[in-house]
Amino acid sequence: MNPENFVFAPVVLPLLGAAVIFCAKAFLKNRPEKVLEYMGVFIGLGLPWLFFLQSLPLVLSGGSVQGVVGSWYAGVGIMYRFDGLAWLVNILGYSVAGAAWIYSLSAGPRGPSFSSVFLIQTSALAAAIMTADLFNLFVCLEVLGIASYVLAAESDKPGASLASFSYLMVSAAAMVFFLIGLYGFYRLTGTLSYEGIAAGLQALPDSGGPAALISLALVTAAVAMRVAVMPLYGWLPDAHAMAPHAVSAVLSGVLIKTPLFALSRVLLLMPAGADAGRLMGFAGAATALAAVIIALSQKDAKRLLAYHSISQIGYIVSAWGAAMYLGTETKEGIMLMAAAFLHALYHALFKGLLFLSIGTTVDRTQNRNIYTLRGAAAVLRNTGEKVPITLITFIIGALAISAIPPFNGFASKTVLTYTLKESPHYYFLYAASIGTTASFIKLSRIFWPAKQEKGKKEKNAGSSVQNPWGLYISQSFLGLLCIIGGLGAPAMYTFVIDVMTGSGGGELLANPGSTSLSPVLYTLDNLLKTGFIAIAGLGLFFLAVSRRGSAVLTKIRERRRNFHGLFVSFALGTAALAAWLCFI
């Protein structure tokens, strides 16, 4: 099988699966409709893995697969490129999407309508990372956004539709500015391909001058809004908190990261891309710390997880921005890029696991309030969960995000902070780690035994799920990957570098141990640092639940938020980036 014949497989197969499901919904009923629905999901989420496995030797050898839509000439038609970065991001997306869809079979939403839109979203994610055309990136982000709005509104929770509408309006406004930036590049260079724009700008005497810098700022800020970097994060908490649990897992684990790695293809080619990446790195470090403080103040369990998604993306953007600044042709740059992707992958696993386990818990207990919910473990047991799978998987996810060894979060955060140790980002991420530990000690209280009044029996809140196997399979799968990812982190980090460089390590491994995670993972210094973070997190937790701490956090939680504030934040962020590129 020639990989060049299947370059569009990750994009086309989910669309084909969605078409099969639409046909089943239109013309069939009952069991035949269900069979074709499952067949469509298998085509869309299962068959692409054959292409990924078959293309792995190619990307490890440094090769790539290219294809132009409609068999046009390169530079005229829209080009898609499947290389090492596309392989890694697709693996991330399809892994989380598969687990989330299986979870939805038990917890909902389910049915042909949900499955078909879910597959369209997966196709758009694959297309965004593979495209080499700026206008096509705009189209992919729009399709991705529309599918996400629909999926977020699938929830029957009050406020879900409003959260989806807010996301729609802010995203649509941001993408208008993306189009303006795109037009600026086209006006300067006469092309929309990444390579064509870069070559055109380099041919100009001043690399396009202020017009090129402002165009880059508009494109970068619009993508940064999708990534939810501060101050462009305002849409995310409501959308992720109100969405169905399976959708929240995909939104947090995949949706906010794919545009970031797609943007790297643009910045690495642009003359001012390094400066834009540097500012994004600073914003990421600030995001990691500020978002975890807001997360600590939350009383809604899923909203707390949503703010932690923003905080964790801050870790990723910190390393990613430094990689853009140094360039991925340098050893330091590729190590930073690999560290950013490793944490993106591991975050997708443990945050997806946390959204699913907490989603199961709040559904069974019919309570999302961290301050009033207690005894969730007993409720899960009383509603049919004899083996405490949800509790165990929550503990795995909480320990992973808190960077406790040997779980995957410890490995990815260690290598990420190790590569950033000489930069100011390190201290922001260190402080954010303390806040993360405190937040998940706070969240874990929902599983603590409830105080029982004398003479009263244990309350059996909630209701059991008729077919809970989907919940247990998906949670167990992600929990197992969190453990395997932690134990196999040194090999995984080296593998990510191999796929990105396409040289089996090449010159990067010429210096023994230069890119190996093993020497820096379980050192005494790292273990002592982990212990200090755990103790400091416990201290911060007690401070947070004290009377004075609670009063401060209440003010943070109840700070004024409004719709037009999202637009103001976007405008200020774009202006700051443009000023940085023009005057710094």
Side-chain angles (χ1 to χ4, degrees):
M1 186 173 68
N2 186 354
E4 293 182 2
N5 296 329
F6 297 90
V7 61
F8 298 108
V11 179
V12 173
L13 286 175
L15 293 179
L16 178 59
V20 170
I21 295 172
F22 278 132
C23 290
K25 181 177 175 58
F27 301 111
L28 299 175
K29 298 292 182 183
N30 302 325
R31 185 175 181 82
E33 178 187 16
K34 186 64 66 177
V35 170
L36 272 187
E37 179 190 350
Y38 289 171
M39 182 182 298
V41 172
F42 175 75
I43 292 171
L45 296 182
L47 289 184
W49 284 95
L50 297 177
F51 172 74
F52 300 149
L53 294 174
Q54 199 274 340
S55 60
L56 179 57
L58 177 70
V59 297
L60 281 174
S61 66
S64 62
V65 188
Q66 295 184 166
V68 181
V69 176
S71 298
W72 289 88
Y73 292 107
V76 177
I78 298 171
M79 178 182 290
Y80 279 75
R81 179 178 294 112
F82 188 87
D83 55 9
L85 181 62
W87 191 91
L88 290 169
V89 175
N90 272 288
I91 291 296
L92 184 157
Y94 274 85
S95 298
V96 177
W101 185 82
I102 292 173
Y103 180 90
S104 71
L105 292 177
S106 296
R110 63 179 73 87
S113 298
F114 170 77
S115 296
S116 56
V117 177
F118 193 82
L119 290 177
I120 292 172
Q121 182 190 61
T122 305
S123 173
L125 286 166
I129 192 60
M130 291 171 58
T131 186
D133 181 276
L134 196 58
F135 184 78
N136 192 239
L137 177 61
F138 163 78
V139 173
C140 294
L141 292 177
E142 281 295 88
V143 174
L144 178 60
I146 292 170
S148 301
Y149 315 145
V150 173
L151 292 174
E154 285 275 349
S155 175
D156 56 358
K157 298 179 179 65
S161 297
L162 179 59
S164 176
F165 179 74
S166 298
Y167 179 19
L168 167 64
M169 294 303 295
V170 175
S171 176
M175 297 313 290
V176 169
F177 289 94
F178 185 103
L179 276 179
I180 296 173
L182 182 153
Y183 169 74
F185 282 129
Y186 185 75
R187 181 72 182 269
L188 290 168
T189 64
T191 183
L192 293 172
S193 69
Y194 297 165
E195 289 84 357
I197 293 173
L201 292 178
Q202 290 174 358
L204 295 174
D206 56 353
S207 297
L213 297 177
I214 293 173
S215 296
L216 181 62
L218 292 171
V219 169
T220 303
V223 176
M225 193 283 300
R226 290 293 182 95
V227 178
V229 177
M230 285 190 170
L232 312 178
Y233 72 97
W235 62 271
L236 185 145
D238 289 337
H240 287 209
M242 296 300 176
H245 311 315
V247 176
S248 296
V250 175
L251 294 180
S252 176
V254 184
L255 179 78
I256 61 177
K257 296 163 189 161
T258 300
L260 179 70
F261 290 106
L263 180 63
S264 66
R265 297 192 184 278
V266 179
L267 296 189
L268 288 171
L269 294 173
M270 298 296 171
D275 293 328
R278 188 184 185 192
L279 182 60
M280 286 276 286
F282 289 136
T287 297
L289 180 57
V292 82
I293 294 173
I294 302 175
L296 187 59
S297 71
Q298 299 305 304
K299 63 179 181 180
D300 182 287
K302 284 193 66 177
R303 192 176 293 275
L304 181 147
L305 294 179
Y307 275 106
H308 269 290
S309 294
I310 302 172
S311 178
Q312 295 301 308
I313 200 67
Y315 283 78
I316 298 165
V317 173
S318 292
W320 175 89
M324 296 298 100
Y325 180 64
L326 296 174
T328 53
E329 70 279 359
T330 65
K331 182 180 77 173
E332 293 78 8
I334 196 64
M335 289 178 67
L336 284 161
M337 191 68 167
F341 178 79
L342 186 69
H343 192 59
L345 173 63
Y346 283 179
H347 170 259
L349 298 178
F350 62 66
K351 181 51 70 66
L353 178 61
L354 285 167
F355 267 115
L356 297 186
S357 58
I358 288 296
T360 300
T361 302
V362 299
D363 283 349
R364 298 282 185 89
T365 59
Q366 300 178 0
N367 187 354
R368 297 163 60 120
N369 191 320
I370 299 172
Y371 294 108
T372 61
L373 176 57
R374 293 292 183 272
V379 174
L380 289 167
R381 183 176 62 251
N382 293 338
T383 53
E385 193 172 303
K386 302 305 179 184
V387 178
I389 293 176
T390 299
L391 175 59
I392 292 171
T393 54
F394 167 79
I395 292 173
I396 292 173
L399 293 176
I401 196 174
S402 300
I404 303 298
F407 300 99
N408 60 354
F410 168 75
S412 60
K413 285 189 176 181
T414 297
V415 68
L416 195 148
T417 53
Y418 175 77
T419 54
L420 289 170
K421 199 163 187 177
E422 302 302 322
S423 72
H425 304 66
Y426 175 83
Y427 302 100
F428 283 86
L429 302 184
Y430 194 91
S433 296
I434 296 174
T436 300
T437 302
S439 293
F440 281 88
I441 294 174
K442 175 182 175 180
L443 181 58
S444 68
R445 293 192 301 171
I446 67 176
F447 294 98
W448 295 3
K451 294 182 179 179
Q452 296 294 323
E453 297 181 16
K454 292 183 179 180
K456 286 192 176 182
K457 293 184 178 181
E458 193 177 74
K459 209 173 181 181
N460 183 14
S463 59
S464 59
V465 178
Q466 291 184 347
N467 297 303
W469 60 270
L471 309 179
Y472 302 151
I473 290 176
S474 57
Q475 291 173 196
S476 300
F477 172 70
L478 292 176
L480 185 62
L481 288 182
C482 288
I483 297 172
I484 294 174
L487 297 175
M492 187 63 190
Y493 181 57
T494 303
F495 174 76
V496 170
I497 291 179
D498 288 348
V499 173
M500 284 186 172
T501 59
S503 60
E507 296 179 359
L508 289 174
L509 294 180
N511 178 15
S514 62
T515 62
S516 174
L517 182 57
S518 300
V520 300
L521 194 56
Y522 291 106
T523 63
L524 179 61
D525 180 62
N526 280 335
L527 295 177
L528 289 175
K529 183 178 74 172
T530 300
F532 174 79
I533 289 174
I535 295 172
L538 182 62
L540 181 59
F541 161 72
F542 284 119
L543 179 63
V545 297
S546 66
R547 179 176 298 180
R548 182 168 298 180
S550 296
V552 172
L553 293 179
T554 299
K555 290 182 179 180
I556 295 174
R557 182 177 65 249
E558 296 179 356
R559 70 195 187 284
R560 185 179 179 184
R561 296 185 301 135
N562 49 52
F563 193 66
H564 67 268
L566 303 179
F567 294 99
V568 173
S569 297
F570 177 77
L572 291 176
T574 305
L577 179 55
W580 171 272
L581 293 177
C582 291
F583 303 113
I584 299 301

